[in-house]
Amino acid sequence: MIDNDLDDVERVVAYGMNPQAHRYSPLDKLNRDTVKHLTPAWAFSFGGEKQRGQESFTLVHNGVIYVTGSYSRMWAVDARTGKRLWQYEHRLPEGIMPCCDVVNRGAALYDDLVIFGTLDAQLVALDRETGRVRWRDRIADFRAGYSYTAAPMIANDLLITGNSGGEFGAIGEIQARNPRTGEMVWRRPVIEGHMGTLPDGSETMTGTLNATWEGEAWKTGGGAPWLGGTYDPELNLIYFGTGNPAPWNAHSRPGDNLYSSSTLALDADTGEIVWHYQTTPNDHWDYDGVNELVLFDMEKGGETIKAAAKADRNGFFYVLNRETGELLLAEKFVNHVTWAEGIDLETGRPIETGARPGNPAATDGDRGESVTVAPAFLGGKNWNHMSYSQRTGLFYIPSNEWEMEIWNEPVTYRRGAAFLGAGFTIKPIYDDKIGVLRAMDPKTGEIQWEVPNRTPLWSSILTTAGGLVFYGTPEGYLKAVDDETGEELWKFQTGSGVVGQPVTWTMDGEQYVAVVSGWGGAVPLWGGEVAPLVRDISQGGMLWVFNFPKKRPSVGDYSGVDGSRAHLSTARRFSFGKTL
Amino acid sequence: MDRIKQLIAAAVVAAALVAGSAQAERWDSIQQTGRLSVALYDDLAPYSCQNLDGRLVGVDLDLARALAERLGLELDLVPFGGGDSMSEDFEMLRESPPAGEWEPASREVAADVMLHVPLDPLLSERNPEVQILAPYYHESMAVLYDNVALGELPTQITDPQPFVGHRLGVEMYSLSYVFLTNGFNGQLRAGVANHKSVPAAVTALLNGEVSAVFGTRTELQNALAAHTSPRPGLAMSDLGNLFSTNRVRSSWAVGLAIADGNPQLAAQLRQAMEQLDADGTIEDIFANYGIPLVRPGDLGELIPHADGAAPPA
């Protein structure tokens, strides 16, 4: 069992650093004063001809790093030396249909197993020592359009997975298995009308048939929960975001279309849905609701609220009560949100502006009416995870400012036949930035500071007790900034775009940082007018590990030339502690 | 933003110039090599799709063979997956400029001809770099229906009323799907049943699971022909203008496309296709797939009423 070791800073054993997905480390040896000495310890190339996007979360246990790569590959690497211990390369069949690059986001550790999912929608459990396959199971049929790219999660002694697949009628589903054997314990489709299975083998329906979908549209309703979930062991609830409904054209499916573009809380014992909160009812903008729900305790008015936060594709930052799903706060975290004026805190529903694409069957003219909407469908934030700092109480969000134009194409021909298509393209809003790293106060919804980036941010965030915020950029840098000001303190050029997930741990008394480098993901494939900005970024596939150099400067050098700054920084930290 | 647009526009123009200057009349190089390369969709049953052995089969494949033979050339097949719009597919006819890492791999040589291209003035206008010619059949939107469940319908349907309250099969997210779910004030939406393909929907019709299937005439006829003893009581009607906005057409002619600026190649293809039509080759090829040929000019006899629908031998 690895569940109990979460507070052990010598290990990284849960995706997101803990099941609440804080992506926060209590380590502070590496801090605002010392981070400038951070230096590569070693690097490991994934090798082969298979590059593309590297989005993996790095697990560390007993001096071994477990990292996954593009095209469903995994490696075990000696954390001290970078020596490869074993490699697993999944044999992928022809005809896999990943929508948004051939990425993998990481594995789960359980006993002597390391378990990950593949692009052909299989789960593979490997022996941690040898890399040999111990069991395999199919999440869904890849030939029906399913895939898998997320990291599985261990919760309630179960292996929890969602699925991927947006086309050809794929239906979102969350599954729980016995991690030792792969045997299914429960499964819960996330679209109303479909039947789920309980641990005793009996079946119950998700939602109420035809309550929010007309006719048979629910049968091909989409909603894939493709990013993975979070877990509250105390409440025994599993939280998952669900994908957008299918098809893309909302005129085909009037109604709220539950539970698409929602966050669900599931009973971890049975998989039954305990509450739901839908961020985008009857979505018509591809505002996928899969983004992670980060669980945190919020002190407000002398009370401790069991809260949770989500920065949605649709541009709103939501704070919910994680026991009940009650909405506590909803504020924009990007400057441009034009599909809704705001969220009604009473009803929890968006106040829409009417910026919905027109009905293609009723369109006149050559191109139909075009609407410009922000955020673009790649979202105010995409899959790459925000971090909650236990030190500052702030959320650090890798956001993007972009908009999209959507229009109906009354005369399209597709594969030799007439077709009613829709056209859409992503556009930047600003001349000098798309990505913006933002520090958000979950109590007020206020942005404390922000750091712009020329290209879209596509890496996850890591915060530490040392007052640091780590993130990567498509330009190839891993950066560390001050968690109170956003001031850049350190950066390192990794040679390819960083769209991975930084982690930190200690080993032999030293603090280490790791991240994968390798440009890819959805932006180069779907980026529209943004794609030229990133066209010349080299592909890659490399695990970088950093620590202090062995021959390190004397302690005095840390304050060195800017001893006064170190002093200031201490004072600032003190006063900051009071304002909270 | 505007600067980016300009950059893209400049790059496109530059690429076009490079392509233009390097391009001689295609027919000359075809004659030199003695080979004709034909681009075909790789997943468009019954026209060109892979059979169980992974070989390409279908109407268009047979037509490509006949065409190459008539021209005295060896045939090179260039199967490809269709894009979201045919404007993307026309890339098959263009020698790509060196592409970035994220663009599809560039082809060494562009295809000489692409099959299955609709003749539509707007499609041509939007894609001036290609020439669309030599239409070989006429396609139209149609409905195959159960005339016990729905009663006898006119051969030209102009009114959605007969279908209200019935389960209607479509291929997922096809033109028929969009019209039935988006149009007619939603009257038909609740009855729409999505299927993976037209043949799957036709099977559902034969099993009595749906009362009608909407699709193109030739897809419906081909799917029906695959069933050895179709149920009696099936009939087919043309949709006329039921599925149309002021721009979308319910019927169109299908022909070939080549890169513009190759008059000799165009003339050779036209002549060969005319001969294949005149000697009955095209009609035979369609008949082998259970599709009665409707020539582009034969608009008067669009939909033979298909009661029982045994395809002509």
Side-chain angles (χ1 to χ4, degrees):
Chain A
M1 268 308 301
I2 291 174
D3 248 328
N4 304 325
D5 304 335
L6 292 165
D7 294 331
D8 186 339
V9 293
E10 297 197 352
R11 296 167 173 189
V12 179
V13 294
Y15 187 77
M17 305 291 287
N18 61 13
Q20 294 80 16
H22 288 174
R23 292 175 183 269
Y24 171 81
S25 167
L27 295 174
D28 62 359
K29 187 155 186 175
L30 201 56
N31 56 45
R32 288 180 286 202
D33 300 319
T34 60
V35 69
K36 64 188 172 196
H37 298 295
L38 194 61
T39 308
W42 51 263
F44 171 78
S45 171
F46 294 157
E49 291 172 353
K50 295 169 175 173
Q51 303 209 321
R52 297 248 169 182
Q54 310 299 344
E55 297 186 349
S56 182
F57 183 86
T58 317
L59 296 167
V60 187
H61 190 253
N62 279 352
V64 178
I65 289 179
Y66 301 92
V67 64
T68 63
S70 53
Y71 294 97
S72 307
R73 295 173 294 167
M74 198 196 307
W75 298 267
V77 182
D78 185 316
R80 290 183 174 82
T81 63
K83 182 178 186 296
R84 184 174 76 195
L85 302 175
W86 53 256
Q87 152 174 303
Y88 173 82
E89 199 158 334
H90 192 72
R91 186 178 293 178
L92 290 168
E94 292 275 316
I96 51 168
M97 288 184 262
C99 88
C100 308
D101 205 7
V102 287
V103 298
N104 186 280
R105 300 201 172 84
L109 293 173
Y110 189 89
D111 285 348
D112 57 347
L113 300 174
V114 55
I115 308 166
F116 86 127
T118 60
L119 291 166
D120 59 342
Q122 289 204 50
L123 279 168
V124 183
L126 304 173
D127 185 297
R128 271 173 38 202
E129 290 293 319
T130 63
R132 291 213 180 97
V133 175
R134 294 271 291 275
W135 62 258
R136 241 194 268 256
D137 195 22
R138 204 167 77 166
I139 295 171
D141 184 359
F142 76 90
R143 280 165 297 221
Y146 292 94
S147 182
Y148 191 79
T149 53
M153 171 174 66
I154 301 290
N156 192 30
D157 213 24
L158 296 169
L159 179 74
I160 311 291
T161 53
N163 62 6
S164 306
E167 285 187 88
F168 313 113
I171 291 293
E173 181 166 298
I174 299 162
Q175 300 174 345
R177 283 178 174 75
N178 179 338
R180 288 176 189 87
T181 61
E183 186 196 350
M184 189 88 79
V185 175
W186 54 255
R187 44 177 285 279
R188 177 55 47 193
V190 303
I191 297 296
E192 86 180 13
H194 292 268
M195 301 301 283
T197 311
L198 302 180
D200 65 6
S202 62
E203 296 208 320
T204 56
M205 185 182 282
T206 297
T208 309
L209 183 64
N210 285 136
T212 63
W213 293 83
E214 254 186 47
E216 299 183 18
W218 58 273
K219 286 187 177 173
T220 50
W226 56 263
L227 191 50
T230 52
Y231 177 55
D232 183 333
E234 210 178 298
L235 297 173
N236 200 33
L237 291 177
I238 289 170
Y239 304 93
F240 255 90
T242 61
N244 53 292
W248 177 82
N249 168 9
H251 297 287
S252 296
R253 43 170 177 79
D256 280 355
N257 308 143
L258 292 174
Y259 298 98
S260 65
S261 296
S262 303
T263 290
L264 304 180
L266 280 68
D267 181 326
D269 290 334
T270 64
E272 294 269 30
I273 294 169
V274 176
W275 59 256
H276 75 275
Y277 179 78
Q278 188 174 43
T279 42
T280 313
N282 191 234
D283 167 61
H284 202 150
W285 305 273
D286 203 3
Y287 291 152
D288 211 315
V290 293
N291 286 358
E292 72 283 6
L293 187 75
V294 179
L295 318 182
F296 71 112
D297 290 336
M298 190 165 71
E299 309 292 331
K300 207 172 180 182
E303 266 186 292
T304 304
I305 302 165
K306 285 183 188 299
K310 179 188 192 186
D312 198 274
R313 290 278 189 92
N314 71 18
F316 288 96
F317 179 86
Y318 297 87
V319 179
L320 304 169
N321 179 317
R322 70 175 183 268
E323 287 186 277
T324 63
E326 182 200 355
L327 180 65
L328 304 174
L329 175 140
E331 293 289 338
K332 297 172 184 178
F333 67 93
V334 285
N335 293 339
H336 296 267
V337 178
T338 62
W339 71 279
E341 284 166 27
I343 309 296
D344 184 328
L345 288 181
E346 290 296 312
T347 63
R349 295 182 71 88
I351 303 152
E352 283 193 30
T353 58
R356 277 179 175 264
N359 184 332
T363 323
D364 288 340
D366 282 0
R367 186 166 162 168
E369 193 187 344
S370 155
V371 291
T372 298
V373 190
F377 64 88
L378 289 177
K381 180 181 99 55
N382 202 279
W383 74 272
N384 43 319
H385 307 287
M386 61 184 180
S387 168
Y388 170 71
S389 168
Q390 295 170 12
R391 198 187 85 82
T392 62
L394 301 178
F395 279 86
Y396 298 86
I397 308 172
S399 69
N400 289 310
E401 297 278 357
W402 43 21
E403 62 188 14
M404 61 180 165
E405 191 182 355
I406 312 173
W407 64 92
N408 293 317
E409 294 210 1
V411 202
T412 309
Y413 284 91
R414 188 177 195 172
R415 300 198 306 168
F419 186 72
L420 269 176
F424 53 87
T425 188
I426 288 193
K427 301 168 170 206
I429 294 174
Y430 298 99
D431 282 343
D432 57 343
K433 67 178 173 196
I434 295 170
V436 188
L437 173 63
R438 290 190 162 105
M440 156 80 80
D441 186 337
K443 288 176 202 166
T444 61
E446 277 169 23
I447 306 286
Q448 303 283 330
W449 53 256
E450 61 181 49
V451 179
N453 198 66
R454 182 77 187 87
T455 60
L457 290 180
W458 216 254
S459 104
S460 295
I461 311 292
L462 169 73
T463 56
T464 73
L468 300 174
V469 181
F470 285 94
Y471 70 107
T473 68
E475 287 84 349
Y477 289 103
L478 177 66
K479 293 186 176 187
V481 301
D482 186 319
D483 66 2
E484 291 167 28
T485 63
E487 185 196 346
E488 188 173 295
L489 302 173
W490 176 85
K491 67 178 174 184
F492 179 84
Q493 172 58 250
T494 65
S496 179
V498 178
V499 294
Q501 310 180 45
V503 302
T504 187
W505 73 99
T506 59
M507 199 161 56
D508 310 326
E510 291 196 54
Q511 187 175 352
Y512 283 73
V513 173
V515 74
V516 291
S517 164
W519 170 240
V523 175
L525 298 171
W526 294 98
E529 290 184 15
V530 173
L533 271 181
V534 296
R535 182 164 290 157
D536 294 328
I537 298 174
S538 296
Q539 294 189 35
M542 193 82 115
L543 170 63
W544 284 95
V545 172
F546 304 87
N547 68 355
F548 293 141
K550 288 287 177 225
K551 221 179 168 183
R552 88 173 63 134
S554 67
V555 174
D557 286 352
Y558 285 148
S559 43
V561 284
D562 53 353
S564 58
R565 200 191 152 275
H567 175 73
L568 263 178
S569 138
T570 313
R572 191 174 49 195
R573 217 170 304 164
F574 178 69
S575 65
F576 188 85
K578 277 202 297 194
T579 58
L580 269 177
Chain B
M1 279 185 291
D2 284 339
R3 205 180 31 167
I4 292 166
K5 272 186 195 155
Q6 281 166 9
L7 283 172
I8 295 169
V12 169
V13 169
L17 285 173
V18 170
S21 63
Q23 192 179 37
E25 164 69 46
R26 184 67 68 87
W27 181 244
D28 294 341
S29 59
I30 292 171
Q31 280 184 304
Q32 275 167 23
T33 59
R35 307 188 76 84
L36 181 73
S37 67
V38 178
L40 298 162
Y41 290 104
D42 62 7
D43 185 21
L44 181 65
Y47 290 95
S48 46
C49 60
Q50 291 179 348
N51 70 2
L52 290 174
D53 305 331
R55 274 187 318 119
L56 213 56
V57 294
V59 172
D60 284 345
L61 186 89
D62 294 352
L63 187 60
R65 284 216 180 93
L67 184 61
E69 195 185 332
R70 184 61 51 120
L71 292 167
L73 299 166
E74 294 290 315
L75 175 65
D76 288 327
L77 291 174
V78 189
F80 71 101
D84 281 345
S85 122
M86 287 194 69
S87 299
E88 293 170 33
D89 300 346
F90 291 137
E91 287 293 321
M92 297 305 296
L93 295 170
R94 213 183 342 212
E95 281 169 61
S96 310
E101 286 180 285
W102 291 88
E103 276 88 53
S106 31
R107 286 171 301 283
E108 285 173 28
V109 184
D112 300 317
V113 190
M114 182 175 152
L115 295 192
H116 222 92
V117 182
L119 277 83
D120 179 290
L122 203 63
L123 187 66
S124 296
E125 189 187 311
R126 286 182 181 174
N127 298 284
E129 75 286 1
V130 302
Q131 186 185 356
I132 306 172
L133 69 160
Y136 51 93
Y137 82 102
H138 189 91
E139 186 61 280
S140 57
M141 300 305 299
V143 57
L144 180 69
Y145 66 94
D146 179 333
N147 64 8
V148 178
L150 295 178
E152 200 65 34
L153 300 178
T155 53
Q156 291 270 330
I157 306 237
T158 53
D159 179 5
Q161 210 53 44
F163 302 103
V164 173
H166 289 277
R167 278 191 96 217
L168 309 169
V170 292
E171 178 176 313
M172 213 179 274
Y173 311 150
S174 60
L175 180 76
S176 304
Y177 170 82
V178 177
F179 267 108
L180 291 175
T181 56
N182 288 231
F184 316 115
N185 298 317
Q187 288 177 89
L188 304 180
R189 190 187 295 125
V192 176
N194 263 321
H195 299 274
K196 298 269 177 213
S197 62
V198 169
V202 169
T203 302
L205 175 68
L206 292 170
N207 293 338
E209 294 161 24
V210 296
S211 302
V213 177
F214 292 76
T216 62
R217 170 185 65 85
T218 62
E219 280 177 304
L220 292 169
Q221 286 170 329
N222 172 260
L224 201 55
H227 295 271
T228 44
S229 52
R231 199 158 74 90
L234 292 183
M236 198 188 279
S237 289
D238 187 19
L239 292 184
N241 286 322
L242 189 70
F243 280 1
S244 62
T245 67
N246 68 343
R247 279 295 195 178
V248 175
R249 299 168 162 219
S250 283
S251 68
W252 59 91
V254 176
L256 317 177
I258 61 172
D260 196 33
N262 293 293
Q264 288 183 52
L265 175 59
Q268 292 288 339
L269 290 171
R270 275 202 194 95
Q271 190 186 8
M273 290 295 282
E274 274 165 22
Q275 289 170 3
L276 291 173
D277 185 37
D279 69 10
T281 304
I282 294 178
E283 187 165 9
D284 288 347
I285 289 173
F286 275 85
N288 285 340
Y289 293 87
I291 304 166
L293 178 66
V294 178
R295 290 189 174 77
D298 297 347
L299 301 192
E301 39 169 318
L302 260 185
I303 304 288
H305 203 254
D307 198 354

